[in-house]
Amino acid sequence: MNAADWLREFARLVAENEDELTRLDAAIGDADHGANLTRGLTAVVAALDAGDPPGPLLTAAGLTLISTVGGAAGPLFGTFFLRMGNALGDEPDVEALATALRAGLDGVVQRGKAEAKDKTMYDALAPAVEAVEKAAAAGQSLPEAIAAASTAADEGCAATIPLVARKGRASYLRERSTGHQDPGATTVALLFRSLRSSC
Ligand code: ADP
Ligand code: MG
């Protein structure tokens, strides 16, 4: 796993899908998710020091996101990378990745208090983290674990469509939030798709 490649590819995918993320956030939010994330990840890539080991590199990316992106998702994705980076050793194998991803998810939950089926990024992130943990327990390789996580994130993301939002801006719409895919969960699916191509 190359953390610098991961962040570059994540930034590229988010920029490529900015209009789609904007469209999703326009339906159940305020249409700023694509622009917020693109701006933050542009700053992350600009500040990347590819010589850093993976942990400090992800921690730095998290701090950049927290300091450059307003709204809910910037601090939440920032906290995810910050906590993940702090927990990741220098040689990320499947076990280390599972531990670091769990620490990142715990940070997101501490900050946003989301639970399953609240229709947030949690609904894609939690199944992806669980998939890596399961792969680690089964002795699978890193690419196998990440492929499973990416599939789980895609499924979790699609599963947000029928949900009624209970957290974040979309919750103001109550029942009217149903029938739309959550923008943050969509970004999580891109996060794991980009991790897949960096291994
Ligand atoms: P804002 O809602 O402030 O405009 P964004 O549009 O950038 O921020 O991000 C919206 C996304 O943030 C949502 O689609 C959802 O996935 C995520 N989100 C919002 N609140 C929470 C929360 N409390 N916990 C986890 N994720 C959340
Ligand atoms: Mg928004």
Side-chain angles (χ1 to χ4, degrees):
M1 172 194 160
N2 182 314
D5 284 354
W6 180 24
L7 292 171
R8 279 197 208 97
E9 179 61 8
F10 181 43
R12 194 191 68 74
L13 273 183
V14 166
E16 191 177 278
N17 289 277
E18 183 179 337
D19 290 350
E20 167 73 355
L21 296 172
T22 298
R23 188 183 66 72
L24 293 171
D25 197 32
I28 56 168
D30 56 356
D32 64 351
H33 185 69
N36 280 349
L37 265 282
T38 301
R39 193 178 65 252
L41 289 168
T42 301
V44 164
V45 170
L48 262 187
D49 184 346
D52 275 350
L57 199 138
L58 294 180
T59 299
L63 290 170
T64 302
L65 281 181
I66 291 167
S67 63
T68 57
V69 186
L76 287 167
F77 278 94
T79 300
F80 170 76
F81 283 120
L82 177 66
R83 295 290 187 87
M84 188 182 169
N86 288 347
L88 193 68
D90 288 351
E91 278 303 323
D93 55 12
V94 186
E95 294 278 350
L97 185 66
T99 303
L101 285 170
R102 172 60 62 182
L105 175 63
D106 286 349
V108 169
V109 171
Q110 262 174 31
R111 187 142 195 165
K113 311 276 180 274
E115 295 172 17
K117 303 203 171 169
D118 280 352
K119 196 183 182 91
T120 71
M121 60 186 282
Y122 177 94
D123 291 311
L125 188 54
V129 173
E130 282 158 21
V132 176
E133 288 173 340
K134 223 168 129 187
Q140 291 184 346
S141 70
L142 198 55
E144 284 172 326
I146 293 169
S150 182
T151 301
D154 287 346
E155 288 170 1
C157 172
T160 63
I161 295 174
L163 297 175
V164 171
R166 291 189 299 223
K167 286 280 176 341
R169 211 176 276 278
S171 66
Y172 307 158
L173 294 177
R174 298 171 187 265
E175 276 65 29
R176 279 181 294 135
S177 64
T178 191
H180 302 281
Q181 187 168 295
D182 179 64
T186 308
T187 300
V188 171
L190 299 176
L191 179 70
F192 283 90
R193 201 172 304 164
S194 55
L195 182 57
R196 200 169 176 168
S197 61
S198 76
C199 287

